[in-house]
Amino acid sequence: MTLNTLDLHTHSTASDGIHSPTELVTLAHEAGLKTIGLVDHDTTGGLEEALAAGERLGVAVVPGIEINTDLPNKQGEAHMLGYYIEYDRPEFQQCIAVLREARALRGERMVAKLREQGLDVTWERVREIAGGAVGRPHVARALLEKGYADSISDAFDKWIGPGRPAYIPRYKLSAEDAVRLVKSARGVPVLAHPANIPELKETLLPSLVMVGLQGLECYYGEYDTVTVARLLQLANTYGLIPTGGSDYHGPNMHPTPLGARYVPDDSLERLRRTGEFNRKLPAPAFTLPAPTQE
Ligand code: AMP
Ligand code: ZN
Ligand code: FE
Ligand code: FE
C-alpha cells in the first residue's frame, strides 16, 4: 500500500539495476508512481528508453545520473546525484565515458585478483552480467553464481569490499568535481544518502555549496525520522533542496521497495524549478582531472 507518487532515486540495467528502463517504469506505473528519477551510475544510457516508456505509461522520468566520489582523509565515499541534466551535451558524455572506462579497467583488475586467488570468475562473464556500466555489484553477482559467496553483501565482505583480497580503489573524482561535472550539463547537483559522511556538517557541505551544490538527499531509503529531521535542518541551513528516494536496484539489492520512501511533492517542484533556473545560465566548462591509478 503506497500513497507515494514520487521516487527520485532508481537504477536500471544501464548500470547495476536488475530491471531494464522499460521494466522499471512499468513497475513504477504499477506502484502508482507519477514520477521517477533514473540515476544510473556514470551513465545516461537508460534515459531515452525510460523517457519513452514513461510517455506511454504516463510516468514522468527525471533525467539523472549518480557519480561516486572519494572523500579525503579515508572518510570513504560520497555519491553525487545530478537531476535534469542536459545529458546529450558531448563534453558531458565524454567525461562520463572516461569514468566508465575507469570502472571497466578496475573491474578487470579485480577479476584478475580473484583469479590469482584461484577463483574461477571471468571478465567476460562480469561484462555480460553488467551489460552497461560495470560496478562491483556485477562482480559480486559473478561470485555469487559460482558459489564463492552466499549473498551480494557476503561477496563484498569476503572479496571486494575495502581491505578484502580483490579490492581495487576506483578512479578518484572529488565530490567538488562531481558537482562541477553536473553543473557543466546544467543539472541540479544533490548529495546522495549523506547521513554517514563523517565531516558532512563541518567541512563537506560548506565546500560543496561553494562550488554549486543545490540539494541534499534527506528522505533516503531506510533513514529514520530522527535522521531525516537532522538532514532537513542541514538542508535548511545551507539553502539546499531536500530530495529523496528508495535507491531501488531490483529485488534483494537494497532494502527499500520502489516508491516505498515518502518524498514530499514539494521536493520535485523545487528540483524542477531549480533545473529550469540553471538552464537560464550558460553551462560552465569542466575538465576532468587526469586519472590516478594505484
Ligand atoms: P562501485 O561503484 O563499483 O564501487 O560499487 C559500489 C556499489 O556497490 C554501491 O553503490 C552499492 O550499491 C554496492 N555496495 C557497496 N558495498 C556493498 C555491500 N557491502 N553490500 C552490498 N552492496 C554493496
Ligand atoms: Zn547502484
Ligand atoms: Fe549511491
Ligand atoms: Fe544509487
Side-chain angles (χ1 to χ4, degrees):
M1 206 220 33
T2 168
L3 298 173
N4 296 343
T5 59
L6 193 54
D7 191 333
L8 292 173
H9 194 146
T10 70
H11 295 268
S12 77
T13 46
S15 64
D16 54 355
I18 297 285
H19 302 292
S20 72
T22 303
E23 286 164 356
L24 184 71
V25 172
T26 306
L27 289 171
H29 174 66
E30 285 165 7
L33 299 180
K34 298 266 178 289
T35 307
I36 63 164
L38 180 59
V39 292
D40 277 311
H41 303 279
D42 299 340
T43 180
T44 61
L47 290 177
E48 299 219 316
E49 185 186 321
L51 285 160
E55 209 138 289
R56 284 197 302 278
L57 294 167
V59 176
V61 174
V62 179
I65 194 158
E66 182 170 14
I67 299 160
N68 295 20
T69 76
D70 276 331
L71 296 171
N73 310 324
K74 301 219 177 305
Q75 287 184 85
E77 294 198 354
H79 294 183
M80 193 61 61
L81 302 164
Y83 290 107
Y84 293 107
I85 43 172
E86 291 177 324
Y87 58 91
D88 52 3
R89 286 180 170 270
E91 304 85 351
F92 178 73
Q93 284 300 332
Q94 274 158 24
C95 285
I96 60 176
V98 171
L99 298 178
R100 283 198 304 275
E101 279 155 27
R103 274 181 174 281
L105 196 65
R106 174 206 192 200
E108 206 172 352
R109 291 173 69 210
M110 283 198 288
V111 169
K113 281 207 164 193
L114 289 165
R115 296 185 67 82
E116 274 167 30
Q117 305 274 324
L119 274 63
D120 179 27
V121 287
T122 65
W123 175 231
E124 288 69 37
R125 182 59 191 142
V126 171
R127 288 198 80 123
E128 204 169 83
I129 293 171
V134 185
R136 277 183 297 160
H138 304 117
V139 180
R141 274 195 253 161
L143 286 165
L144 190 58
E145 74 180 14
K146 282 278 184 171
Y148 296 123
D150 300 330
S151 66
I152 297 288
S153 57
D154 187 44
F156 277 84
D157 293 345
K158 282 203 179 102
W159 302 106
I160 56 173
R164 306 312 300 155
Y167 179 72
I168 305 245
R170 215 172 1 80
Y171 167 52
K172 291 179 171 60
L173 190 63
S174 71
E176 286 79 4
D177 275 345
V179 169
R180 295 184 183 106
L181 175 56
V182 169
K183 283 278 181 164
S184 75
R186 299 201 290 191
V188 184
V190 174
L191 183 62
H193 41 74
N196 296 326
I197 298 174
E199 293 167 22
L200 176 69
K201 196 168 147 188
E202 297 77 9
T203 53
L204 187 64
L205 275 185
S207 159
L208 294 182
V209 169
M210 288 278 291
V211 294
L213 185 74
Q214 294 178 302
L216 191 68
E217 194 176 47
C218 301
Y219 306 95
Y220 176 75
E222 306 288 282
Y223 283 0
D224 60 27
T225 47
V226 175
T227 304
V228 174
R230 172 170 70 83
L231 293 173
L232 284 174
Q233 198 168 14
L234 269 179
N236 200 30
T237 302
Y238 287 96
L240 299 170
I241 306 161
T243 73
S246 62
D247 209 351
Y248 185 71
H249 283 69
N252 310 321
M253 296 277 285
H254 280 248
T256 310
L258 181 66
R261 169 79 246 187
Y262 168 72
V263 184
D265 289 342
D266 187 52
S267 285
L268 176 64
E269 186 49 28
R270 287 180 63 188
L271 205 55
R272 197 188 56 72
R273 283 205 313 266
T274 304
E276 233 164 61
F277 170 73
N278 288 356
R279 289 190 297 278
K280 292 191 199 301
L281 305 172
F286 173 71
T287 316
L288 218 50
T292 52
Q293 205 71 60
E294 53 226 274

mmCIF file of all heavy atoms in Angstrom, residues 79 138 239 257 274 292:
data_model
loop_
_atom_site.group_PDB
_atom_site.id
_atom_site.type_symbol
_atom_site.label_atom_id
_atom_site.label_comp_id
_atom_site.label_asym_id
_atom_site.label_seq_id
_atom_site.Cartn_x
_atom_site.Cartn_y
_atom_site.Cartn_z
ATOM 1 N N HIS A 79 28.371 10.081 -2.804
ATOM 2 C CA HIS A 79 27.754 9.915 -4.119
ATOM 3 C C HIS A 79 27.013 11.194 -4.488
ATOM 4 O O HIS A 79 26.290 11.753 -3.671
ATOM 5 C CB HIS A 79 26.777 8.725 -4.109
ATOM 6 C CG HIS A 79 27.460 7.404 -3.912
ATOM 7 N ND1 HIS A 79 26.799 6.208 -3.932
ATOM 8 C CD2 HIS A 79 28.771 7.105 -3.705
ATOM 9 C CE1 HIS A 79 27.673 5.217 -3.742
ATOM 10 N NE2 HIS A 79 28.868 5.739 -3.591
ATOM 11 N N HIS A 138 28.252 -6.133 -9.995
ATOM 12 C CA HIS A 138 28.289 -7.143 -11.061
ATOM 13 C C HIS A 138 29.332 -8.210 -10.757
ATOM 14 O O HIS A 138 29.116 -9.389 -11.019
ATOM 15 C CB HIS A 138 28.581 -6.482 -12.409
ATOM 16 C CG HIS A 138 27.611 -5.400 -12.762
ATOM 17 N ND1 HIS A 138 27.983 -4.096 -12.922
ATOM 18 C CD2 HIS A 138 26.266 -5.444 -12.944
ATOM 19 C CE1 HIS A 138 26.912 -3.369 -13.213
ATOM 20 N NE2 HIS A 138 25.859 -4.153 -13.214
ATOM 21 N N GLY A 239 20.384 26.162 2.475
ATOM 22 C CA GLY A 239 19.524 26.519 1.355
ATOM 23 C C GLY A 239 19.447 25.436 0.286
ATOM 24 O O GLY A 239 19.361 25.730 -0.904
ATOM 25 N N PRO A 257 11.665 -1.005 -1.119
ATOM 26 C CA PRO A 257 10.996 -1.244 -2.405
ATOM 27 C C PRO A 257 10.803 0.052 -3.198
ATOM 28 O O PRO A 257 10.790 1.145 -2.627
ATOM 29 C CB PRO A 257 9.639 -1.843 -2.002
ATOM 30 C CG PRO A 257 9.801 -2.313 -0.603
ATOM 31 C CD PRO A 257 10.822 -1.395 0.025
ATOM 32 N N THR A 274 14.472 24.634 -10.000
ATOM 33 C CA THR A 274 15.912 24.908 -9.967
ATOM 34 C C THR A 274 16.571 24.458 -11.266
ATOM 35 O O THR A 274 17.456 25.144 -11.789
ATOM 36 C CB THR A 274 16.553 24.199 -8.744
ATOM 37 O OG1 THR A 274 15.862 24.634 -7.584
ATOM 38 C CG2 THR A 274 18.025 24.533 -8.622
ATOM 39 N N THR A 292 44.324 8.980 -11.688
ATOM 40 C CA THR A 292 45.496 8.457 -10.991
ATOM 41 C C THR A 292 45.239 6.986 -10.717
ATOM 42 O O THR A 292 44.212 6.626 -10.193
ATOM 43 C CB THR A 292 45.726 9.183 -9.643
ATOM 44 O OG1 THR A 292 44.502 9.134 -8.914
ATOM 45 C CG2 THR A 292 46.142 10.623 -9.839
#
